[in-house]
Amino acid sequence: VKNIIDNSIESFLKKGTIKISTEFFQDDNYVLLKVEDDGKGIEKEEQNKVFLPYFSSKEKGMGLGLAIVDKIVSDHNARIEIFSEPYKGTTVKIYFFKTP
């Protein structure tokens, strides 16, 4: 989650807001962790690349942060999704499923 929050902070042009929330869905047996920001967002053509190793839209960094997050999430029987609109912000949703 720290990497996702760091990305949110880096997306702000001057200032911004980050909202972190969780919700439990008892009928479907999962917890949703949601991180929302009102930063610069992700361009449409880059959204399907954000989890690829070494992909970055930043000048600094190696482009491994979200690839590592994706691997960790997957290793914990969870799923991650990113929704973004340029100049409106980004929402990251992580679904943690109850294991049998």
Side-chain angles (χ1 to χ4, degrees), residues 3 7 42 44-58 61-71 80 82:
N3 186 280
N7 284 352
I42 304 167
K44 293 286 183 200
E45 59 273 0
E46 294 179 348
Q47 289 181 24
N48 62 345
K49 301 176 186 175
V50 296
F51 295 117
L52 297 175
Y54 306 109
F55 173 79
S56 180
S57 61
K58 303 178 217 170
M62 296 181 65
L64 292 174
L66 287 178
I68 292 170
V69 168
D70 187 42
K71 174 72 171 127
I80 187 169
I82 292 185

Side-chain angles (χ1 to χ4, degrees), residues 19-30:
K19 180 181 172 186
I20 302 168
S21 61
T22 59
E23 191 172 353
F24 176 59
F25 293 85
Q26 187 170 359
D27 291 343
D28 296 320
N29 265 338
Y30 71 89

Side-chain angles (χ1 to χ4, degrees), residues 28-95:
D28 296 320
N29 265 338
Y30 71 89
V31 172
L32 171 61
L33 169 67
K34 190 171 6 175
V35 179
E36 301 171 272
D37 70 55
D38 58 1
K40 65 181 178 181
I42 304 167
E43 296 293 331
K44 293 286 183 200
E45 59 273 0
E46 294 179 348
Q47 289 181 24
N48 62 345
K49 301 176 186 175
V50 296
F51 295 117
L52 297 175
Y54 306 109
F55 173 79
S56 180
S57 61
K58 303 178 217 170
E59 290 182 24
K60 290 184 176 181
M62 296 181 65
L64 292 174
L66 287 178
I68 292 170
V69 168
D70 187 42
K71 174 72 171 127
I72 292 169
V73 166
S74 175
D75 287 349
H76 285 87
N77 190 37
R79 184 178 83 229
I80 187 169
E81 297 176 342
I82 292 185
F83 305 91
S84 187
E85 283 194 60
Y87 304 101
K88 292 189 178 183
T90 301
T91 299
V92 177
K93 294 181 177 182
I94 303 175
Y95 301 83

Side-chain angles (χ1 to χ4, degrees), residues 5-24:
I5 293 170
D6 288 346
N7 284 352
S8 290
I9 292 168
E10 292 170 5
S11 77
F12 297 137
L13 301 173
K14 296 225 180 241
K15 64 179 184 174
T17 302
I18 299 171
K19 180 181 172 186
I20 302 168
S21 61
T22 59
E23 191 172 353
F24 176 59

